[in-house]
Amino acid sequence: MYGTFLGGAAAVLTLCLFQASGVLVAAALLPRESAGVRLLAGSVLGSVEMQWFPALAAFLFGFDLRAQAAAVLLALACGAGALALCRRRGSGELAGIKNIYKSLARQRLLWLAAALWVFFCLLVWRSFSWREGRVYSSQATFGDMSMHLSFITSLARQGTFPPHYSLLPGARLSYPFLSDSISSSLYLLGAPLRLAYCLPMWVAGAQVFFGAWALLRTLLGHRQRCAVAWTLFFFNGGLGLIYFFQEGGLNRILHSFYQTPTNLVEENIRWVNVVVDMLLPQRATLFGWAVLFTALYLLYRGVFEGQREYYLAVGVLAGALPMIHTHSFLALALVCGAWLTGALCQELGLGDRAARLGRLLAPLGLVAMSLLQAIPQVRDGQNGLLAFLCGAVGLWGLCLVGLAVLCCRGGQGRALLGSWGVLLGVTCVLALPQLFIWTFQQVSGGSMLRGHFGWVVGQDQYLWFYLKNLGLVAVLALVGLLAASKETFWRYCPALAIWFVAEFVEFQPNDYDNNKLLYVGFLFLCCAAADGLWVLLRRAGLLPAQEEAPACPAKRKGEKTRPKKEALPKPRPAPKRRLAQCLCAALVGVLSLPALLTMCREWVASYELFGEGALALCQYIEEELPPDAVVLTDQRHNNEVVSLTGRNIVCGSSSYLFYHGLNYAPSAQAAREMYQDPQGSQALFEEYGVDYILVSDFEQNSYTVDQAGLDQLFPRVYDDGLRVLYSTQEVNP
């Protein structure tokens, strides 16, 4: 748990080595990009290397130091090969990265992303704090962090690969565990658990915030609109603040448990803040979006700017995603489908008509969903909804095949094969083994994939639910979509595809988890909302009807540039434009207020996860128990044995196991019987391989523990007055 100074230093150096390897590879693969984009993409590639290289080596060695050494050698080989390629070209791909600070200094709005990243790093550090011999979490991490710690510690301590649930021994870990294995690698090297947990999250946070900026900047082609869309996405919040005017106010927000303007379940406010409730507690989402946003940026460059060589890089990133974050993989697939549809339609001269149809479907879809909600057979028909969606997606696929055939007949077959064909082929080669080994096995359990109408709309009217959750952004996004040109609509249309799928099917037993898909669609809606705001400002006469051309993005290597002209002083903005800027800033500030209050709540929140006695017990277990020992405990979610020591327990919290689609009921019942009737449960002790039995106040409150029977059967190997650990390896005479 505590690690060593040398172990922490080794972990930091290893992480830096992988990051450097990724930057070198990105410099070789993306010579046309700016230094900032190459640094971003390189950081993402470095993290992907650190997630996948040890995993690949672990199939041969197990997840141990040998696998880590093999991963380091592979990263060094990739970096050396990329460096040799850069030097052979002699084109200075690496020189630009040295001047990255200058390029950042020229883009003042980009410091918004830097400031939010620093705040996020502080939140991560505070969310897993060790004070006075106790471990504390924040509000958002109180539920999920114990589960992620169990994945991190069990993989590092036991080394079994493919890994199994330490929360349910014998069940293969099909959760996207690579978001945790990157910390397992650092923990295995001797880093303190807190550093191993936080350090990769800091890096991934930078990748998410700056990756989103690069994507939005390219989608919108306008710095100010990019800043608006970026702020609306990360400081998202709806109308939840109005419920606090009536009762509690600021005191309720800052001190009640999960009573924030973006998370108020009793009023069905469920559109939680992206930073606090998604990126901070949900590591798979954090690391998945880190890859996804950069992949979408490169895909945009390939689809809309003709950089065909980028499809290979997108295919590699897409193929790495399933076991990093499956929802991000699915979201990327839907974006690819939407953009491919637009590309094929425009190639065939159908772009205008298809865009008009898409703009019409947006408001009609809202009306249709409102009407469908009133039909009980539709709202409650799980099998029918799943069949409907499968049919709709199948029809979409047939349309894509038909459009592709027409393009091939028109002489575009080679271009399609060299772009989308490469993307599809590389993705399938890399992703299908993951899906068959892990994902499909979990989905086949029967509870992971089912039809469901309207996310978590519940009893609310459909339009009102999304209006109070998304707020004014929903209205601005609709305005932006309806006013969009053909080219602009095709950029934003993935939002419609993602929303359609997420509203008719669920991919986990928890209804709420579909937001992991919806938020990717929301990113595109924020772009449309920024455009919609500009449309309204022009209609109000505060901006010229024909606005000047958007500011050009940073020059990419290899692109032609105009000769420099003599620098002229920048003209002062006209009074109307200045008023428009002030109104825009004020509106965005008001829309961000619920998110800011939620972030303040997270900053002051502190809840004890593990006390002094629990840490002392874990220290004993770390020193005395074998790594693969099975300990019988109750099912509390903050279980120190499984979270901090990486040992197996008979059955973990149902809050985790149920929502992962696992059948834990027999193990839970067996644990109860072993505690309540130890003398009659000898066969169960052997069946579940129980090596040790823990009796603390948690177990005493969860079961009617027959401690006298346990004392008759097994010796006590640890007893601090509140916690007793029995060993089943020896039997009392």
Side-chain angles (χ1 to χ4, degrees):
M1 293 185 297
Y2 301 105
T4 63
F5 175 80
L6 291 178
V12 172
L13 289 175
T14 301
L15 181 67
C16 292
L17 184 148
F18 277 96
Q19 290 291 299
S21 173
V23 170
L24 291 172
V25 173
L29 293 179
L30 307 173
R32 295 177 180 269
E33 294 298 327
S34 65
V37 170
R38 276 181 280 148
L39 183 62
L40 168 66
S43 178
V44 171
L45 287 173
S47 295
V48 170
E49 288 180 3
M50 195 169 182
Q51 290 166 315
W52 267 111
F53 287 178
L56 294 175
F59 279 105
L60 297 176
F61 305 115
F63 200 88
D64 56 16
L65 290 176
R66 293 174 299 172
Q68 306 307 314
V72 168
L73 292 176
L74 189 54
L76 288 173
C78 291
L83 180 60
L85 180 59
C86 291
R87 287 182 173 177
R88 187 184 308 167
R89 289 173 178 165
S91 49
E93 287 90 348
L94 299 176
I97 297 179
K98 300 177 183 178
N99 300 320
I100 186 66
Y101 177 79
K102 294 181 180 179
S103 63
L104 291 176
R106 288 195 300 267
Q107 303 183 50
R108 288 174 296 177
L109 291 176
L110 194 56
W111 289 101
L112 291 172
L116 183 58
W117 174 59
V118 171
F119 177 71
F120 175 76
C121 291
L122 294 174
L123 279 183
V124 171
W125 190 247
R126 287 176 57 87
S127 70
F128 186 23
S129 59
W130 301 63
R131 302 195 305 270
E132 300 175 351
R134 296 179 174 87
V135 176
Y136 294 86
S137 76
S138 61
Q139 175 177 261
T141 57
F142 183 75
D144 285 359
M145 189 169 68
S146 296
M147 179 193 72
H148 289 292
L149 289 175
S150 74
F151 297 159
I152 293 169
T153 57
S154 64
L155 188 55
R157 290 292 179 253
Q158 299 184 38
T160 304
F161 203 90
H164 290 73
Y165 278 94
S166 57
L167 296 162
L168 192 67
R172 177 170 291 183
L173 180 57
S174 297
Y175 180 88
F177 60 85
L178 292 181
S179 60
D180 293 310
S181 71
I182 189 172
S183 290
S184 299
S185 295
L186 302 181
Y187 192 43
L188 189 59
L189 293 173
L193 182 56
R194 187 185 187 189
L195 179 64
Y197 177 87
C198 295
L199 185 58
M201 292 184 69
W202 293 340
V203 176
Q207 294 164 0
V208 169
F209 297 132
F210 290 104
W213 186 280
L215 174 61
L216 295 173
R217 178 71 177 83
T218 308
L219 282 170
L220 289 160
H222 192 282
R223 288 193 182 95
Q224 285 75 29
R225 270 182 271 182
C226 169
V228 169
W230 187 91
T231 305
L232 293 178
F233 181 72
F234 286 109
F235 291 83
N236 63 301
L239 306 180
L241 191 58
I242 62 176
Y243 295 101
F244 292 88
F245 293 150
Q246 304 170 359
E247 181 181 354
L250 186 61
N251 184 66
R252 179 184 173 193
I253 294 173
L254 294 180
H255 298 99
S256 299
F257 188 69
Y258 273 118
Q259 298 280 301
T260 68
T262 60
N263 196 344
L264 191 60
V265 177
E266 57 264 32
E267 301 294 345
N268 212 15
I269 299 295
R270 307 298 299 277
W271 196 250
V272 297
N273 178 250
V274 165
V275 176
V276 167
D277 293 293
M278 298 298 293
L279 300 179
L280 184 62
Q282 302 187 32
R283 286 172 62 98
T285 300
L286 172 66
F287 286 90
W289 284 4
V291 178
L292 176 64
F293 292 165
T294 297
L296 289 177
Y297 170 84
L298 296 176
L299 181 62
Y300 177 92
R301 293 271 284 136
V303 174
F304 295 95
E305 298 183 9
Q307 302 295 335
R308 289 178 54 186
E309 65 272 20
Y310 286 8
Y311 286 93
L312 174 61
V314 176
V316 172
L317 293 176
L321 265 176
M323 290 313 295
I324 297 176
H325 190 219
T326 313
H327 282 85
S328 291
F329 176 74
L330 177 59
L332 180 58
L334 292 172
V335 174
C336 287
W339 280 354
L340 175 58
T341 302
L344 294 176
C345 286
Q346 295 194 73
E347 189 65 38
L348 295 170
L350 303 174
D352 288 333
R353 282 177 285 182
R356 284 197 296 268
L357 177 61
R359 286 194 294 267
L360 180 62
L361 288 177
L364 289 181
L366 293 175
V367 174
M369 294 296 285
S370 298
L371 295 176
L372 289 174
Q373 186 187 23
I375 305 175
Q377 293 81 357
V378 172
R379 189 176 61 245
D380 304 326
Q382 290 188 10
N383 294 333
L385 290 171
L386 185 59
F388 166 73
L389 182 68
C390 290
V393 173
L395 181 60
W396 183 18
L398 289 176
C399 290
L400 282 176
V401 172
L403 292 172
V405 170
L406 292 176
C407 285
C408 290
R409 289 183 176 179
Q412 297 299 317
R414 180 174 297 181
L416 282 176
L417 187 62
S419 54
W420 292 100
V422 169
L423 171 58
L424 179 61
V426 172
T427 301
C428 289
V429 168
L430 297 178
L432 285 179
Q434 303 171 57
L435 297 175
F436 279 105
I437 293 174
W438 288 291
T439 308
F440 292 157
Q441 178 182 355
Q442 190 175 26
V443 172
S444 63
S447 60
M448 298 295 291
L449 185 66
R450 67 191 190 281
H452 180 82
F453 179 83
W455 188 37
V456 289
V457 172
Q459 299 302 314
D460 282 335
Q461 202 279 331
Y462 187 85
L463 293 179
W464 167 241
F465 169 80
Y466 278 111
L467 180 60
K468 74 178 182 180
N469 275 274
L470 271 64
L472 186 59
V473 175
V475 178
L476 293 175
L478 185 59
V479 172
L481 286 174
L482 295 178
S485 64
K486 175 189 68 175
E487 293 79 8
T488 302
F489 176 80
W490 286 121
R491 296 177 186 179
Y492 304 159
C493 69
L496 303 181
I498 291 172
W499 224 274
F500 176 78
V501 171
E503 292 289 58
F504 286 101
V505 67
E506 289 181 341
F507 300 92
Q508 281 184 271
N510 190 1
D511 300 345
Y512 169 82
D513 279 341
N514 254 28
N515 64 356
K516 299 173 184 176
L517 194 60
L518 289 170
Y519 276 109
V520 181
F522 180 66
L523 181 70
F524 290 94
L525 290 184
C526 288
C527 292
D531 282 349
L533 179 58
W534 255 248
V535 169
L536 295 179
L537 291 174
R538 283 198 295 268
R539 295 289 175 88
L542 299 178
L543 291 176
Q546 187 65 35
E547 194 174 6
E548 69 274 8
C552 295
K555 181 182 77 68
R556 300 183 174 97
K557 187 174 179 63
E559 294 180 348
K560 296 182 179 180
T561 57
R562 295 179 181 178
K564 293 184 178 180
K565 297 181 179 179
E566 184 179 353
L568 297 175
K570 294 182 179 180
R572 298 183 63 182
K576 287 187 176 181
R577 179 177 292 276
R578 188 178 302 170
L579 176 60
Q581 292 173 348
C582 293
L583 288 175
C584 182
L587 179 62
V588 172
V590 171
L591 295 179
S592 302
L593 183 59
L596 290 171
L597 291 173
T598 300
M599 292 177 183
C600 291
R601 172 65 179 105
E602 191 66 18
W603 180 259
V604 301
S606 182
Y607 296 91
E608 182 179 311
L609 271 180
F610 310 112
E612 294 180 65
L615 293 183
L617 172 65
C618 290
Q619 188 67 28
Y620 171 83
I621 292 175
E622 283 269 80
E623 295 172 355
E624 301 295 335
L625 271 60
D628 59 348
V630 178
V631 183
L632 178 63
T633 71
D634 79 335
Q635 291 183 262
R636 61 186 179 275
H637 88 280
N638 55 331
N639 190 306
E640 66 273 18
V641 174
V642 70
S643 296
L644 299 182
T645 74
R647 271 57 176 184
N648 295 322
I649 61 175
V650 172
C651 187
S653 171
S654 59
S655 300
Y656 304 143
L657 301 177
F658 173 77
Y659 292 120
H660 290 191
L662 298 172
N663 181 20
Y664 63 92
S667 298
Q669 181 60 31
R672 179 176 296 277
E673 292 179 13
M674 285 186 276
Y675 272 116
Q676 298 184 167
D677 184 19
Q679 293 181 336
S681 302
Q682 294 296 315
L684 289 177
F685 285 121
E686 295 181 6
E687 178 183 350
Y688 286 89
V690 176
D691 299 308
Y692 296 88
I693 303 168
L694 175 64
V695 177
S696 68
D697 52 345
F698 287 105
E699 284 74 28
Q700 296 281 11
N701 291 330
S702 299
Y703 312 113
T704 306
V705 178
D706 183 5
Q707 194 158 1
L710 290 172
D711 282 322
Q712 290 179 1
L713 292 173
F714 310 115
R716 299 186 177 195
V717 296
Y718 182 91
D719 186 354
D720 65 359
L722 293 175
R723 297 164 189 81
V724 178
L725 190 66
Y726 296 90
S727 172
T728 65
Q729 308 302 306
E730 303 176 14
V731 179
N732 284 333

